[in-house]
Amino acid sequence: MDRAGTLIAATCAVHCALLPLALAAIPSMSLALLSWKDPRHNSAMWLLRLSAWEGTVVTSALLFAGLSIGSGFLRHRRPVGILALVLAALSFGIAIKSPLAALSWAHAAFAVLGGVALAGAHWMNLRAISEFDGHRNNARSATANRDV
């Protein structure tokens, strides 16, 4: 689950970083939003409507991460993944619900920070599980060798 979560969260962070840059770099798409007669108006409106799904996608990603990182924490007992998950949730909350969300640069910056923190939370959880399983397997083999 953490491998998929890392990939999805990293993709989210790249999306949040590149979409505002793409709209700024392609002025015709931004202008198409203003003109009903522009042939790209519908495509530009479709991109804009995707932002309505942002809260749903972020909530789903955070719930998925909570389940994955929570179950990992029950195994390895290291809080770093949970701390990164809290940072991601706070960052996404600021990006979507705070007064700063009205500033496009702040929204993009906090959304990217949330995506990176979420990917980091999954990665740290994956590493902690791997190290925990490795230590547990080493302890078993040491016990087995001592008993022989």
Side-chain angles (χ1 to χ4, degrees):
M1 276 183 15
D2 282 312
R3 282 183 172 81
T6 301
L7 179 66
I8 291 167
T11 303
C12 170
V14 169
H15 162 81
C16 291
L18 293 183
L19 186 62
L21 294 176
L23 286 175
I26 307 169
S28 64
M29 286 302 275
S30 297
L31 291 174
L33 287 171
L34 302 174
S35 171
W36 291 95
K37 295 179 182 179
D38 192 307
R40 294 169 304 235
H41 178 76
N42 288 337
S43 300
M45 288 301 294
W46 181 80
L47 284 173
L48 190 61
R49 284 189 195 111
L50 283 178
S51 65
W53 288 92
E54 185 176 43
T56 303
V57 171
V58 165
T59 302
S60 299
L62 288 172
L63 287 173
F64 178 79
L67 291 172
S68 176
I69 292 166
S71 67
F73 175 76
L74 293 176
R75 286 174 65 188
H76 57 70
R77 301 288 184 196
R78 292 188 185 167
V80 291
I82 291 176
L83 295 174
L85 179 60
V86 169
L87 174 64
L90 290 173
S91 298
F92 282 133
I94 291 169
I96 295 172
K97 294 293 184 184
S98 80
L100 283 176
L103 303 171
S104 60
W105 65 267
H107 173 81
F110 281 104
V112 169
L113 177 62
V116 169
L118 195 57
H122 280 293
W123 181 77
M124 286 184 259
N125 191 53
L126 190 60
R127 276 190 59 121
I129 289 171
S130 176
E131 289 174 6
F132 174 77
D133 288 346
H135 290 302
R136 191 171 63 181
N137 290 338
N138 288 341
R140 282 186 193 156
S141 64
T143 305
N145 288 341
R146 191 176 52 209
D147 292 341
V148 173

